Amino acid sequence: MRQRLSSEPDRYRGRRRVPTPPRSRYAAVVTTAFVGAGIVALGANALPDAKSVSPSVLDELRQASVASQDAADRADSADRADRDERPGGVDATQQDTWLLPLHGYDFKSPYGVRFGKLHTGVDLVAPEGTPYQAIHAGTVTKAGWFGGYGYAVIVKHADGSEAIYGHSSAVTVKEGQQVKAGDQLGLVGNTGHSYGSHLHLEVHVNGQPLDPVPWLVDRGVDIKLEIEAAYSDVAAS
């Protein structure tokens, strides 16, 4: 900062300095100081100012910047692809992948008649707030309050079947959203007609509920034993 000489008028006293706008990213700052009749350049390693170099040098600088950005974009794309890859080398984007809706649960209340009424799904007991995920790729057709199901998510799969995830404490998707197997849909809760924190899972085919246990076993998922064939096959190989 330049020191104000005592002979200068006080016209700047009390005024706020207006910051100067940043210079172009292709220009380097060159600080000069006048010593006698000569000019001493400070910062000998600084790049030249964009206004004082030939167009060819500027082109080289721009090309280097573009090449660097392209490399960063390729690295980011590779990182996203790696995040999409499920543990054990299973790609969750495959349309035929079926997965468990969550892990570390207690299997309770199977499909069947209970208290004189048909319990049309299975209950997976887990702490409130536990994230749950899509068992298969599809389109979210319901995301919100759904009567006795409380906060629920319904996903329609390409084969026409539907999965209902009920009693959520919160849903994290929107209606019309496309999801992959393994994408988070919501959080386990105790909303609607529920008597404890759990995920209620139903499977409907042709509009009718059916026992999800044998149906998922046919697709490589044993929800009672908490086994996913997608992982067991990889582990065995």
Side-chain angles (χ1 to χ4, degrees), residues 149-161:
Y149 292 92
Y151 288 106
V153 176
I154 302 177
V155 177
K156 186 170 185 177
H157 311 132
D159 62 3
S161 63

Side-chain angles (χ1 to χ4, degrees), residues 71-121:
D73 290 343
R74 288 193 297 271
D76 184 62
S77 297
D79 181 63
R80 287 197 302 269
D82 183 66
R83 289 196 301 268
D84 286 338
E85 192 77 10
R86 295 281 295 181
V90 179
D91 187 357
T93 64
Q94 296 175 355
Q95 291 297 312
D96 59 349
T97 300
W98 293 82
L99 300 172
L100 291 165
L102 72 163
H103 294 272
Y105 55 82
D106 291 328
F107 183 91
K108 302 288 184 181
S109 301
Y111 178 94
V113 177
R114 186 180 65 172
F115 305 125
K117 296 178 63 177
L118 177 63
H119 184 234
T120 53

Side-chain angles (χ1 to χ4, degrees), residues 111 118-121 149 162 164 200-212 215:
Y111 178 94
L118 177 63
H119 184 234
T120 53
Y149 292 92
E162 295 176 293
I164 302 177
H200 175 85
L201 177 67
E202 287 188 22
V203 171
H204 287 216
V205 175
N206 296 324
Q208 298 298 318
L210 49 75
D211 190 345
W215 193 81

Side-chain angles (χ1 to χ4, degrees), residues 124-183:
L124 309 178
V125 178
E128 185 168 350
T130 302
Y132 65 84
Q133 61 190 23
I135 60 174
H136 193 56
T139 303
V140 177
T141 58
K142 179 68 180 180
W145 189 262
F146 193 44
Y149 292 92
Y151 288 106
V153 176
I154 302 177
V155 177
K156 186 170 185 177
H157 311 132
D159 62 3
S161 63
E162 295 176 293
I164 302 177
Y165 308 80
H167 306 314
S168 308
S169 60
V171 298
T172 56
V173 290
K174 298 180 180 180
E175 293 178 8
Q177 181 175 335
Q178 300 292 318
V179 295
K180 306 184 299 295
D183 282 352

Side-chain angles (χ1 to χ4, degrees), residues 65-75:
S65 176
V66 170
S68 176
Q69 184 61 46
D70 288 343
D73 290 343
R74 288 193 297 271

